[in-house]
Amino acid sequence: MDERIQRKVEKLEQQCQKEAKEFAKKVQELQKSNQVAFQHFQELDEHISYVATKVCHLGDQLEGVNTPRQRAVEAQKLMKYFNEFLDGELKSDVFTNSEKIKEAADIIQKLHLIAQELPFDRFSEVKSKIASKYHDLECQLIQEFTSAQRRGEISRMREVAAVLLHFKGYSHCVDVYIKQCQEGAFLRNDVFEDAAILCQRVNKQVGEVFSNPETVLAKLIQNIFEVKLQSYVKDQLEEHRKSDAEQYLKNLYDLYTRTTNLSSKLMEFNLGTDKQTFLSKLIKSIFISYLENYIEVEIGYLKSRSAMILQRYYDSKNHQKRSIGTGGIQDLKERIRQRTNLPLGPSIDTHGETFLSQEVVVNLLQETKQAFERCHRLSDPSDLPKNAFRIFSMLVEFLCTEHIDYALETGLAGIPSSDSKNANLYFLDVVHQANTIFHLFDKQFNDHLMPLISSSPKLSECLQKKKDIIEQMEVKLDMGIDRTLNCMIGQMKHILAAEQKKTDFKPEDENNVLIQYTNACVKVCSYVRKQVEKIRKSMDGKNVDTVLMELGVRFHRLIYEHLQQYSYSCMGGMLAICDVAEYRKCAKDFKIALVLQLFDTLHALCNLLVVAPDNLKQVCSGEQLANLDKNILHSFVQLRVDYRSARLARHFS
């Protein structure tokens, strides 16, 4: 079995080796055939490239032959059509068949160009016929475009517009389109809204019809501005230009605002490269004749309107406005009055009228506010600060000078002299109203004028003008308040002179004094409390404390000097102390530390009128009197009835 298997293995190995040799031989043969095939493929590829090159060359040659041939054929056709025009009879179907208007248009357009080159003397007739046919076809195409637009056939409109693009009448086609777009578009009262809606609608359509939609849309907008809007603006403005300045300015502002708003909406559309400049020029073309002299109209109106508001107010008060006066004499009076605080000239009875009206002020400020708004909108940017300053100057003239300053002058003239009896003091009412008006004036300055001049040299000029006018009025307010305080002190003097009796502080019966304080003290304190309350109502901020301090100091001086006029018995001294205690209680209403301190010291001084002679030195060295001048203490001790007694004089010395 082993031998048998061994023989079989050897046989199989021999067979395998044989087959391996045959397979290797077959692979070699296949490799050789593959190399031959690859070589054939390379040859074929080279041949194909050669043929392709030949074909391309042949194609170029054919094209070189065909292009002149086509031109020749086309020239032949054009010559044939030209001959028909030369003979005067158009027989070709392209001219007689209305459905072939597109082909006819192409031919006639080319013939028209050729005819331009021909000499006029030999070909005048044929040139005329071609031109006539050119014109007829152009009209037919425009008519066809018009009909298609009315039917809403966008594709036909686009087709006809493309044909007309090479004709001279293409612009006329655009004009027809623009005209028909506007038919029925302006039926409402708001021409600006109608224009915006129309442009929005056309913007969606124009790109589907024309090859240059931005040019067509720009031409439509130009037509709307130069025809519709210009006519509308002219009708609205010319009606009031000479007869009603107020309505004219309102209409101008409204129309200009609505036009610029429309321009902002149109900026969304494609109108070419510089649409901002394009729209600005259109707006300028409409309004230039009105904007050139706008500020003169504004100032003229503001001046007359402000004067009328003031005059109407003074007429309602049956008041004939008196002249304040200017020039050397008036200036001299003003300087004397400022330095001496003396009333120059007769006092005027204003019957409680301040001649300041919040309604008048609100009206003047409202007119100026509207003027600032118009100025901002209608002025050229380079002229805006200058124009705003002119409007501000009008406000200063009529509000500050003609109204507030006049009221201050009248109020000053109405302040009675300090020795007048039962004088009515209305100047504090003037102060109160002037203060309110100043706040309104300052608010308008900051809210409406500052934004217009903040970045220009006019800012410092306006601030200086405002500062000057306020300082000028503050001088008059200070002067009026000072004279009013003098009048208050004068009224207190009259009360004290009329009510205080010598027997009040030196009663005949020392043991039968029933009153707590004198009648003069009661009336003075009542009067002072009323004036303090009035000052608080009339002023605000630190001004209240400043004026009350001045009044308190003068009130203290008055009482101090008043007490120096009497002699005091023991019971009279007690009554004086009670009076001063009441004055001190009144001084607490001032809520000013200095005033209260002065009356505390005065109260301590009055103790010198009643203290026992042995205790005088002790009282004088007390906390409140220790720092006072000895002469002041002596002057109070001298007021005692028993001062001349040797005992008292010895103790005090």
Side-chain angles (χ1 to χ4, degrees):
M1 182 183 289
D2 179 58
E3 289 174 355
R4 201 168 45 248
I5 290 170
Q6 185 64 36
R7 285 195 297 272
K8 192 175 181 179
V9 168
E10 290 174 355
K11 187 179 178 180
L12 287 170
E13 285 179 348
Q14 289 173 358
Q15 188 179 351
C16 184
Q17 288 174 356
K18 183 180 178 182
E19 287 180 1
K21 288 178 181 179
E22 289 176 358
F23 183 74
K25 185 179 179 182
K26 192 175 181 178
V27 168
Q28 286 178 351
E29 289 174 357
L30 285 172
Q31 283 180 338
K32 287 179 181 179
S33 64
N34 184 50
Q35 285 179 350
V36 171
F38 182 72
Q39 188 175 356
H40 287 170
F41 178 76
Q42 281 185 323
E43 291 174 357
L44 182 62
D45 185 52
E46 290 174 1
H47 189 63
I48 288 171
S49 296
Y50 175 75
V51 171
T53 304
K54 287 288 185 183
V55 168
C56 288
H57 180 64
L58 183 62
D60 290 340
Q61 287 181 326
L62 287 172
E63 188 178 358
V65 173
N66 189 53
T67 301
R69 181 180 173 279
Q70 281 183 337
R71 289 176 181 168
V73 170
E74 193 171 332
Q76 186 184 21
K77 286 182 181 179
L78 288 173
M79 289 170 68
K80 175 189 168 186
Y81 298 134
F82 187 80
N83 282 335
E84 290 184 17
F85 279 99
L86 206 56
D87 295 339
E89 187 178 356
L90 300 178
K91 301 176 182 178
S92 298
D93 182 55
V94 73
F95 292 126
T96 56
N97 189 346
S98 60
E99 294 181 359
K100 294 186 176 181
I101 190 171
K102 185 177 178 181
E103 291 85 346
D106 183 55
I107 291 166
I108 200 68
Q109 197 264 338
K110 291 176 180 176
L111 286 175
H112 186 262
L113 289 174
I114 293 169
Q116 302 298 316
E117 304 296 327
L118 298 176
F120 182 78
D121 52 348
R122 291 178 57 191
F123 296 97
S124 59
E125 187 177 348
V126 70
K127 287 177 76 170
S128 175
K129 290 176 182 178
I130 291 172
S132 177
K133 187 64 177 176
Y134 179 92
H135 179 69
D136 291 344
L137 273 174
E138 193 175 63
C139 291
Q140 287 179 43
L141 287 167
I142 291 172
Q143 186 60 42
E144 178 63 24
F145 182 88
T146 305
S147 302
Q149 186 177 359
R150 285 178 178 157
R151 295 192 300 269
E153 297 177 0
I154 301 297
S155 58
R156 182 60 179 162
M157 290 169 65
R158 180 170 59 248
E159 185 181 340
V160 175
V163 174
L164 276 169
L165 184 61
H166 305 292
F167 278 75
K168 292 180 179 179
Y170 177 71
S171 61
H172 186 54
C173 169
V174 174
D175 293 340
V176 168
Y177 175 76
I178 289 172
K179 183 180 178 182
Q180 288 205 160
C181 283
Q182 297 182 62
E183 288 180 359
F186 296 96
L187 298 177
R188 295 180 297 177
N189 290 330
D190 193 344
V191 66
F192 297 95
E193 187 62 28
D194 287 340
I197 293 170
L198 171 63
C199 292
Q200 189 76 41
R201 174 167 59 82
V202 171
N203 183 56
K204 295 176 182 177
Q205 185 187 82
V206 72
E208 300 176 7
V209 176
F210 297 98
S211 59
N212 54 340
E214 66 281 352
T215 306
V216 177
L217 186 59
K219 196 167 184 180
L220 168 66
I221 291 171
Q222 184 176 355
N223 183 268
I224 291 171
F225 270 74
E226 292 180 351
V227 179
K228 286 288 181 185
L229 294 187
Q230 187 150 16
S231 173
Y232 181 76
V233 167
K234 186 177 181 181
D235 291 344
Q236 293 290 312
L237 294 180
E238 291 298 333
E239 180 183 356
H240 304 289
R241 189 167 190 176
K242 294 181 179 178
S243 59
D244 188 347
E246 180 181 10
Q247 194 59 47
Y248 168 76
L249 288 169
K250 284 180 179 177
N251 287 355
L252 179 59
Y253 175 75
D254 179 60
L255 291 169
Y256 190 82
T257 301
R258 292 167 73 187
T259 306
T260 51
N261 289 342
L262 174 62
S263 173
S264 300
K265 292 179 182 177
L266 298 179
M267 284 290 290
E268 301 171 7
F269 306 140
N270 181 16
L271 305 175
T273 52
D274 196 357
K275 51 188 174 183
Q276 177 72 51
T277 305
F278 169 69
L279 291 170
S280 297
K281 284 182 178 178
L282 290 179
I283 295 173
K284 189 175 181 180
S285 67
I286 295 175
F287 290 98
I288 187 168
S289 62
Y290 305 108
L291 298 181
E292 282 177 342
N293 67 333
Y294 149 70
I295 193 62
E296 300 304 329
V297 178
E298 183 73 80
I299 295 298
Y301 164 71
L302 199 58
K303 192 170 185 177
S304 62
R305 177 68 177 168
S306 301
M308 187 197 76
I309 290 171
L310 289 177
Q311 190 58 48
R312 192 167 56 192
Y313 167 71
Y314 293 124
D315 289 345
S316 71
K317 299 293 182 182
N318 291 321
H319 175 72
Q320 180 65 43
K321 195 174 179 185
R322 66 190 186 90
S323 175
I324 298 300
T326 56
I329 296 176
Q330 182 64 25
D331 291 342
L332 178 61
K333 283 184 177 181
E334 187 65 26
R335 284 197 295 272
I336 294 171
R337 187 168 64 181
Q338 287 181 13
R339 293 188 182 184
T340 62
N341 201 20
L342 295 173
L344 299 178
S347 176
I348 298 174
D349 189 359
T350 59
H351 303 288
E353 182 58 60
T354 63
F355 293 107
L356 285 173
S357 166
Q358 198 154 337
E359 181 184 354
V360 167
V361 172
V362 168
N363 287 339
L364 289 173
L365 291 174
Q366 183 63 24
E367 291 292 342
T368 313
K369 175 187 172 184
Q370 292 172 356
F372 281 135
E373 289 173 352
R374 288 192 291 263
C375 176
H376 190 197
R377 176 72 69 177
L378 302 175
S379 293
D380 186 88
S382 61
D383 294 332
L384 179 57
K386 178 178 66 177
N387 292 348
F389 178 75
R390 291 184 67 184
I391 293 172
F392 174 65
S393 298
M394 284 289 103
L395 178 64
V396 169
E397 178 183 345
F398 286 95
L399 175 63
C400 299
T401 306
E402 294 294 327
H403 191 53
I404 304 175
D405 192 62
Y406 176 75
L408 292 178
E409 286 286 350
T410 306
L412 283 170
I415 299 173
S417 61
S418 58
D419 57 354
S420 299
K421 293 182 180 180
N422 300 319
N424 292 317
L425 303 175
Y426 298 115
F427 193 78
L428 289 179
D429 296 330
V430 177
V431 173
H432 174 59
Q433 288 182 271
N435 190 38
T436 304
I437 293 169
F438 277 141
H439 287 308
L440 295 173
F441 172 73
D442 194 52
K443 187 175 188 306
Q444 181 163 100
F445 183 90
N446 293 324
D447 292 351
H448 297 101
L449 177 61
M450 284 293 287
L452 307 184
I453 59 170
S454 57
S455 56
S456 77
K458 286 290 178 183
L459 174 61
S460 58
E461 198 172 340
C462 287
L463 289 171
Q464 187 60 45
K465 192 177 186 73
K466 176 188 168 190
K467 181 184 176 185
D468 291 344
I469 196 74
I470 289 177
E471 286 179 352
Q472 176 186 337
M473 292 186 184
E474 281 179 346
V475 167
K476 293 181 180 179
L477 286 169
D478 290 346
M479 189 189 308
I481 291 169
D482 187 64
R483 285 169 55 186
T484 300
L485 294 182
N486 284 342
C487 283
M488 290 178 184
I489 299 301
Q491 291 293 100
M492 294 181 214
K493 282 182 180 178
H494 284 303
I495 294 170
L496 291 171
E499 300 294 333
Q500 198 85 71
K501 299 178 175 56
K502 290 187 177 182
T503 56
D504 286 346
F505 302 118
K506 201 162 60 172
E508 294 177 1
D509 187 354
E510 291 279 331
N511 298 317
N512 193 22
V513 178
L514 301 177
I515 58 174
Q516 294 181 343
Y517 28 74
T518 64
N519 192 42
C521 172
V522 174
K523 290 191 175 183
V524 167
C525 287
S526 173
Y527 178 81
V528 169
R529 286 190 175 96
K530 287 179 183 177
Q531 302 311 314
V532 169
E533 184 180 355
K534 195 168 187 179
I535 288 171
R536 290 194 185 280
K537 287 180 180 178
S538 302
M539 298 175 198
D540 57 7
K542 294 181 179 179
N543 292 332
V544 176
D545 292 343
T546 304
V547 174
L548 286 178
M549 182 185 291
E550 184 62 30
L551 177 61
V553 170
R554 295 187 191 188
F555 175 37
H556 168 267
R557 188 185 306 124
L558 172 67
I559 300 302
Y560 177 85
E561 292 173 354
H562 174 69
L563 292 173
Q564 296 274 338
Q565 298 174 14
Y566 299 94
S567 296
Y568 299 89
S569 65
C570 183
M571 186 52 68
M574 292 298 295
L575 199 55
I577 291 174
C578 291
D579 276 5
V580 173
E582 190 63 21
Y583 291 136
R584 183 174 62 174
K585 191 187 297 183
C586 181
K588 287 182 180 179
D589 294 344
F590 286 69
K591 297 178 182 178
I592 304 293
L594 174 64
V595 176
L596 189 58
Q597 183 184 345
L598 288 172
F599 276 94
D600 284 342
T601 304
L602 182 60
H603 188 268
L605 281 169
C606 287
N607 286 332
L608 298 176
L609 301 176
V610 296
V611 72
D614 295 338
N615 297 330
L616 271 176
K617 283 192 176 181
Q618 182 183 348
V619 172
C620 289
S621 59
E623 182 181 351
Q624 289 182 316
L625 301 180
N627 295 326
L628 290 181
D629 188 282
K630 192 173 181 180
N631 292 330
I632 295 175
L633 301 177
H634 194 194
S635 67
F636 260 82
V637 174
Q638 284 180 326
L639 301 176
R640 293 172 60 130
V641 173
D642 58 355
Y643 171 71
R644 297 194 178 278
S645 68
R647 183 180 168 205
L648 181 62
R650 187 175 65 253
H651 277 290
F652 190 72
S653 61

